[in-house]
């Protein structure tokens, strides 16, 4: 009862404590929400902005007054009330200053816009007026900016725009100054460069052995133009020095130019005399033609045409005459040559006809060449193009303009064909090279397989290579036969070895056994060593495990092997003590094998010696009747089959034994061989007798067998 009462009181106390804690938490939550609401209203008032600040402030004040008092006492209530009052006062003050600040900002913005207009004017070309207005405009704008910043209403965007305009105008002014300097520097450099070039030309002309009048006149003209251009920059020291150097060179070249001009005058005078001679020759030809016409003689128009051509060629060499008589002389020469040309017109007409015929022939050649340009019959078309080229060279002249076009067309057609032919040849060479590489790979593979002894797999691989060879395209003609002979030789070599694979295998096995015999003979002839027995045993194991070889050579090798093994065991008997090759151990095993085989001989029921033929026949009949008894014959046959198998096993064991030497070795081996022979002969005779008796019994009538 006491415990239950105490428990009830404790649970009541715990419940009261939990209820008080929940009430305290609820009061704290309500107080925190009230504080957060008041802080949010303070923040809203502090961040109010715009022209309708008062309209936004009134509902916030109403909401503040409608708030319930904070639960409990604390500094938060008074602090938040003071903060709200300060925020409201500041908001009303900002509203009062809003109109003034808006007007100031508008003025500031107008000044910035005007400054940007000044920048546009400066860029477009009227930079002087813009730069003159800029200082006063900048001061006014900075004053407005200071007013706004003092009123806590900075105009950062307008400040940035104004600063950008100022920097741009300053940069523009600096750029204008730099442009003036750069233009002056460029003009100075151009003038210096031109003067230097003219000085170099004048120096080369003064130092040259000969110059032409045309070069001299052009040089003097260029020097005058260069000096006039450089005269605008005569206040620059470098330009003054270059001009002085050029004038000095001009004074050196001028006398030579004057001399060349005088010589040109004399040359023209001499040309005038030569032109008079040519005119006299032309007039003489004219007179001759007229006389032949009066006498009705046939003129040699071809020679006259050639003479006319020579006259024109000679006139072109002396075409420059004194200017005061040049036109008169040319008129006289042209009148004479025109008459000659008129009289030679039949000859020229004939030549034109011949040229027309040649033109038609060449046009036909060009047409055929163009038709063959895309041909792929390389050999035949190449031969035809060679014929066309020869015919082109043999054809006569054609009119110059048409001939130039035909030559171009003929060359284009020929070039197109032979270019395609070279490209095709290059392509075929590439294909040939690839095919040759493939065939060389096949040859290398075939040659690598030619010595293989994996007969079936290699034969299949060789056949596959032959099939793949047929699928590969052609190669160069001078390489084709060589590659085929190489591939065929490798294939023939392998298949020749394939047909003789049994002889090769036999030769390989003989070679392996020959090597083992040589190694054993070397061991027998050499000195003893610690591992001699182990080496001989390993070699002997390899020999015994090798596949038997039915060959006379194998018999010779076997005899050599046996002799070498006997020799090594005899010479180094101490090295084989306690091993399978120990002669004493081998002798004991041989004696056991002899005793085992002779045991079978003791069981052989042979006919005693000294019996007559009738008695011997009776003994055989008794043996046959005993064998024919129920179960006797089959048991007897099984016994002799077992004896024969035991003898074979004994012979195999005997062959594996190491050879021994000594006076008793030969008799012991003869005993073993003789015992094996007797057991084998008796088992064979018993088998023949059993099979023969059975046949006779099957051939007899039933009553005779019963009797």
């Amino acid at each position: 009862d006491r415990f239950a009462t105490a428990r009830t009181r404790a649970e009541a106390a715990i419940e009261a404590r939990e209820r008080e804690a929940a009430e305290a938490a609820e009061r704290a939550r309500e107080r925190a929400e009230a504080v957060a609401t008041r802080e949010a209203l303070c923040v809203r008032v502090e961040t109010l902005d715009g022209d309708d600040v008062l309209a936004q402030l009134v509902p916030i004040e109403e909401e503040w007054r409608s708030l319930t008092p904070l639960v409990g006492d604390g500094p938060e209530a008074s602090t938040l009330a003071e903060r709200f009052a300060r925020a409201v006062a500041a908001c009303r003050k900002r509203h009062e200053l809003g109109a003034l600040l808006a007007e100031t900002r508008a003025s500031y913005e107008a000044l910035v816009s005007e400054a940007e207009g000044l920048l546009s004017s400066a860029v477009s070309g009227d930079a002087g007026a813009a730069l003159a207005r800029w200082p006063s405009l900048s001061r006014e704008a900075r004053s407005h900016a200071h007013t706004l910043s003092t009123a806590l209403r900075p105009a950062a965007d307008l400040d940035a725009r104004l600063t950008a305009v100022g920097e741009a105008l300053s940069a523009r002014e600096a750029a204008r100054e730099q442009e003036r300097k750069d233009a002056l520097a460029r003009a100075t450099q151009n003038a210096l460069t031109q003067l230097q070039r003219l000085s170099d030309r004048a120096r080369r002309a003064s130092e040259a052995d000969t110059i032409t009048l045309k070069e001299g006149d052009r040089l003097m003209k260029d020097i005058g133009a260069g000096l006039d251009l450089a005269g605008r920059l005569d206040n620059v020291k470098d330009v003054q020095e270059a001009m002085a150097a050029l004038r000095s060179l001009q004074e050196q070249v001028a006398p030579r130019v004057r001399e060349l001009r005088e010589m040109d005058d004399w040359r023209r005078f001499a040309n005038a005399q030569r032109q008079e001679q040519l005119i006299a020759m032309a007039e003489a030809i004219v007179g001759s033609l007229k006389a032949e016409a009066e006498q009705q003689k046939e003129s040699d128009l071809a020679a006259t045409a050639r003479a006319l051509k020579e006259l024109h060629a000679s006139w072109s060499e002396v075409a420059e005459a004194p200017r005061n008589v040049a036109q008169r002389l040319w008129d006289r020469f042209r009148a004479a040559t025109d008459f000659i040309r008129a009289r030679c017109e039949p000859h020229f007409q004939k030549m034109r006809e011949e040229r027309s015929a040649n033109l038609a022939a060449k046009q036909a050649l060009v047409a055929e060449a163009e038709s063959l340009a895309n041909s792929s019959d390389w050999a035949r078309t190449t031969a035809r193009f060679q014929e066309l080229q020869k015919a082109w060279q043999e054809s006569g002249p054609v009119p110059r303009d048409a001939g130039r076009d035909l030559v171009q067309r003929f060359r284009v057609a020929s070039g197109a064909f032979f270019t395609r032919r070279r490209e095709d040849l290059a392509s075929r060479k590439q294909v040939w090279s690839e095919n040759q590489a493939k065939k060389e790979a096949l040859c290398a593979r075939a040659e690598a397989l030619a010595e293989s002894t994996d007969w079936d797999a290699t034969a299949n691989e060789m056949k596959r290579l032959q099939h793949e060879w047929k699928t590969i395209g052609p190669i160069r003609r001078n390489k084709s036969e060589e590659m085929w002979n190489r591939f065929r030789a490798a294939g023939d070599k392998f298949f020749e070895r394939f047909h003789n694979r049994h002889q090769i295998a036999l030769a390989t096995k003989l070679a392996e056994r020959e090597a083992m015999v040589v190694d054993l003979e070397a061991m027998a002839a050499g000195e003893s060593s610690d591992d001699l027995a182990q080496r001989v045993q390993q070699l002997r194991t390899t020999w015994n495990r090798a596949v038997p070889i039915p060959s006379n050579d194998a018999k010779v090798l076997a005899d050599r092997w046996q002799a070498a093994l006997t020799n090594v065991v005899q010479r180094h008997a101490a090295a084989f003590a306690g091993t399978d090759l120990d002669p004493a151990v081998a002798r004991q095993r041989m004696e056991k094998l002899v005793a085992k085989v002779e045991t079978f001989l003791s069981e052989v029921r042979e006919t005693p010696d000294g019996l007559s033929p009738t008695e011997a026949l009776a003994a055989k009949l008794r043996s046959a009747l005993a064998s024919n008894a129920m179960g006797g014959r089959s048991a007897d046959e099984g016994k002799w089959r077992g004896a024969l198998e035991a003898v074979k096993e004994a012979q195999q064991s005997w062959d594996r034994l190491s050879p021994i030497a000594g006076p008793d070795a030969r008799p012991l081996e003869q005993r073993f061989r003789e015992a094996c022979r007797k057991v084998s002969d008796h088992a064979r005779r018993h088998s023949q007798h059993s099979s023969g008796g059975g046949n006779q019994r099957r051939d007899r009538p039933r009553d005779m067998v019963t009797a």
Side-chain angles (χ1 to χ4, degrees):
D1 293 340
R2 286 174 61 193
F3 178 78
T5 302
R7 177 179 178 181
T8 302
R9 288 198 302 269
E11 291 177 349
I14 291 172
E15 184 177 357
R17 291 287 183 87
E18 291 178 350
R19 186 168 52 254
E20 291 175 359
E23 292 175 355
E26 181 64 22
R27 289 193 300 271
R29 185 185 63 77
E30 292 177 355
R31 182 179 178 83
E33 290 180 355
V35 170
T37 301
R38 284 169 171 75
E39 287 181 348
L41 292 175
C42 291
V43 171
R44 288 175 59 188
V45 174
E46 290 170 351
T47 57
L48 286 177
D49 194 9
D51 297 336
D52 57 344
V53 172
L54 293 180
Q56 299 179 39
L57 182 60
V58 170
I60 296 175
E61 289 178 334
E62 292 294 334
E63 186 177 354
W64 178 274
R65 286 192 292 268
S66 64
L67 294 175
T68 59
L70 289 174
V71 178
D73 296 331
E76 293 89 346
S78 58
T79 301
L80 291 173
E82 292 176 0
R83 179 182 174 186
F84 184 77
R86 287 196 303 271
V88 171
C91 182
R92 293 184 182 280
K93 186 176 181 180
R94 288 198 303 272
H95 179 69
E96 293 174 357
L97 295 176
L100 178 60
L101 295 176
E103 183 180 356
T104 303
R105 180 178 176 86
S107 300
Y108 188 16
E109 188 170 1
L111 292 174
V112 171
S113 299
E114 184 181 356
E116 290 174 345
L118 292 178
L119 178 61
S120 301
S121 300
V123 172
S124 62
D126 191 7
L131 293 174
R133 169 66 178 134
W134 167 248
S136 59
L137 189 148
S138 177
R139 284 194 298 272
E140 294 177 11
R142 295 301 178 187
S143 175
H144 289 311
H146 178 70
T147 300
L148 291 173
S149 61
T150 303
L152 302 178
R153 293 289 297 275
D157 55 341
L158 297 177
D159 293 344
R161 290 167 59 188
L162 185 64
T163 303
V165 171
E167 293 176 352
L169 290 174
S170 300
R172 183 63 182 172
E173 180 62 20
R176 287 183 61 196
E177 184 63 24
Q178 187 63 36
E179 287 176 0
R180 287 194 295 271
K181 293 180 180 179
D182 292 344
L184 180 60
R186 286 194 299 272
T188 303
Q189 185 63 36
N190 292 337
L192 289 173
T193 302
Q194 186 174 4
L195 292 175
Q196 183 63 39
R197 290 176 180 174
L198 291 173
S199 298
D200 293 340
R201 288 175 58 189
R203 186 178 296 105
R204 288 194 298 270
S206 63
E207 295 175 356
D209 294 336
T210 57
I211 60 173
T212 63
L213 178 61
K214 184 177 181 180
E215 293 175 351
D217 287 339
R218 181 64 179 271
L219 177 60
M220 297 303 293
K221 182 179 180 181
D222 292 342
I223 290 175
L227 291 174
D228 292 340
L229 180 62
R232 305 171 186 175
L233 302 172
D234 56 357
N235 56 345
V236 181
K237 182 178 179 181
D238 294 340
V239 176
Q240 292 177 354
E241 294 176 355
M243 292 175 65
L246 183 59
R247 288 193 180 96
S248 176
L249 292 171
Q250 183 183 20
E251 293 175 357
Q252 297 177 15
V253 176
R256 297 189 63 181
V257 175
R258 287 194 296 271
E259 182 179 355
L260 289 172
R261 189 173 291 110
E262 293 175 356
M263 292 177 62
D264 182 69
D265 292 340
W266 280 104
R267 182 176 61 82
R268 288 176 179 272
F269 179 75
N271 288 343
Q273 295 179 352
R274 178 59 180 162
Q275 287 181 1
E276 290 284 355
Q277 295 175 359
L278 293 175
I279 292 170
M281 294 171 62
E283 291 175 347
I285 294 174
V286 170
S288 176
L289 291 173
K290 290 180 178 180
E292 291 175 353
E294 292 176 356
Q295 298 174 6
Q296 296 182 353
K297 291 182 179 180
E298 184 176 357
S299 301
D300 189 356
L301 298 181
T304 304
R306 289 194 297 271
L308 179 62
K309 184 177 180 180
E310 292 174 357
L311 287 174
H312 278 288
S314 299
W315 183 273
S316 62
E317 295 176 356
V318 294
E320 295 180 350
R323 294 176 178 82
N324 55 347
V325 296
Q327 188 62 36
R328 179 176 57 82
L329 294 174
W330 167 245
D331 292 339
R332 289 176 58 193
F333 181 76
R334 184 175 59 182
T337 54
D338 287 346
F339 180 82
I340 297 172
R341 182 177 293 105
R343 292 298 302 270
C344 293
E345 184 61 27
H347 174 71
F348 292 148
Q349 180 63 29
K350 182 180 178 182
M351 290 182 62
R352 283 193 292 271
E353 293 175 355
E354 292 177 354
R355 290 174 183 267
S356 298
N358 295 336
L359 179 62
K362 288 195 173 185
Q363 286 176 344
L365 294 176
V366 169
E368 185 176 359
E370 290 176 343
S371 66
L372 294 174
N374 295 322
S375 175
S376 297
D377 188 0
W378 306 114
R380 189 174 302 174
T381 308
T382 300
R384 181 54 184 162
F385 259 107
Q386 293 174 351
E387 295 174 357
L388 293 178
Q389 290 173 346
K390 182 178 180 181
W392 181 278
Q393 294 174 355
E394 292 176 353
S395 61
V398 297
R400 182 174 300 176
D401 296 338
R404 190 182 302 113
D405 180 63
L406 288 176
V407 168
Q408 181 64 21
R409 289 173 58 189
F410 188 76
R411 288 178 179 175
V412 169
S414 302
F417 170 75
F418 286 106
T419 300
R420 290 178 56 251
R421 179 174 176 270
R422 285 193 299 271
E423 292 175 352
D424 178 76
L425 182 60
S427 176
R428 283 189 291 167
K429 287 181 178 179
Q430 180 67 24
V431 174
W432 292 343
S433 300
E434 294 175 356
N435 293 340
Q436 182 174 347
K438 294 178 182 178
K439 290 192 174 183
E440 286 179 350
L442 294 181
C443 289
R445 178 60 178 163
E447 290 170 350
L449 295 174
E451 299 293 338
S452 175
T453 55
D454 188 2
W455 304 111
D456 295 335
T458 306
N460 294 332
E461 180 68 11
M462 278 291 187
K463 293 176 182 178
R464 188 191 66 79
L465 294 179
Q466 291 173 348
H467 176 71
E468 186 176 351
W469 181 279
K470 296 177 181 179
T471 62
I472 299 175
I475 62 174
R476 288 181 178 274
R477 186 176 301 174
N478 58 351
K479 293 286 186 180
S480 178
E481 189 68 22
E482 177 185 353
M483 295 292 294
W484 168 243
N485 291 334
R486 179 184 170 189
F487 181 74
R488 186 177 61 183
D492 292 345
K493 181 178 180 181
F494 169 75
F495 285 109
E496 179 67 23
R497 293 178 65 252
F498 179 78
H499 293 310
N500 300 319
R501 60 187 180 278
H502 301 297
Q503 292 81 354
I504 294 174
L506 180 61
T508 302
K509 294 175 182 178
L510 287 173
E512 293 175 354
R513 295 206 172 218
E514 175 75 21
M516 288 190 286
V517 170
V518 171
D519 291 344
L520 189 60
E521 290 174 346
M523 293 178 188
E527 299 294 334
S528 178
S529 61
D530 296 338
D531 60 342
L532 179 62
Q534 181 180 0
R535 290 161 53 200
V536 172
Q537 187 63 38
Q538 291 176 353
L539 196 62
R540 185 165 169 263
T541 302
T542 304
W543 177 276
N544 291 332
R545 291 179 179 176
V547 179
I549 305 174
S551 173
N552 294 330
D553 296 334
K555 179 65 171 61
V556 176
L557 287 176
D559 295 340
R560 286 179 59 192
W561 168 267
Q562 196 68 23
L565 186 60
T566 303
N567 190 12
V568 72
V569 172
Q570 288 178 356
R571 289 195 59 189
H572 310 288
F576 299 97
T579 65
D580 294 340
L581 296 176
D582 190 349
V585 176
R587 182 176 288 104
Q588 293 176 1
R589 293 181 179 177
M590 286 181 178
E591 291 175 352
K592 290 181 180 179
L593 291 175
V594 171
K596 181 178 179 180
V597 177
E598 288 178 346
T599 300
F600 293 110
L601 284 177
S602 63
E603 299 176 0
V604 176
R605 293 175 299 183
E606 295 182 326
T607 304
D609 296 336
L611 297 180
S612 63
T614 304
E615 293 174 345
L617 179 60
K620 291 182 179 181
L621 287 174
R622 286 195 298 271
S623 177
L625 289 173
S627 298
N628 288 332
M630 184 175 296
R633 185 169 62 84
S634 60
D636 197 26
E637 290 179 357
K639 180 182 67 175
W640 286 109
R641 282 197 301 271
L644 189 61
E645 291 177 358
V647 169
K648 291 181 179 179
E649 292 178 358
Q651 289 175 338
Q652 294 175 358
S653 299
W654 183 278
D655 293 338
R656 289 195 296 268
L657 292 175
S658 63
I660 60 175
D664 56 345
R666 186 69 176 172
L668 188 61
E669 184 175 1
Q670 289 178 355
R671 283 178 58 194
F672 178 76
R673 302 296 181 192
E674 183 65 21
C676 291
R677 183 187 63 76
K678 289 181 179 181
V679 174
S680 299
D681 291 346
H682 185 77
R684 192 179 307 109
R685 287 197 302 272
H686 182 77
S687 175
Q688 292 175 356
H689 174 70
S690 299
S691 61
N695 293 335
Q696 292 175 2
R697 186 168 60 251
R698 286 192 295 270
D699 294 338
R700 293 175 185 172
R702 180 178 298 276
D703 55 353
M704 185 179 293
V705 173
T706 303

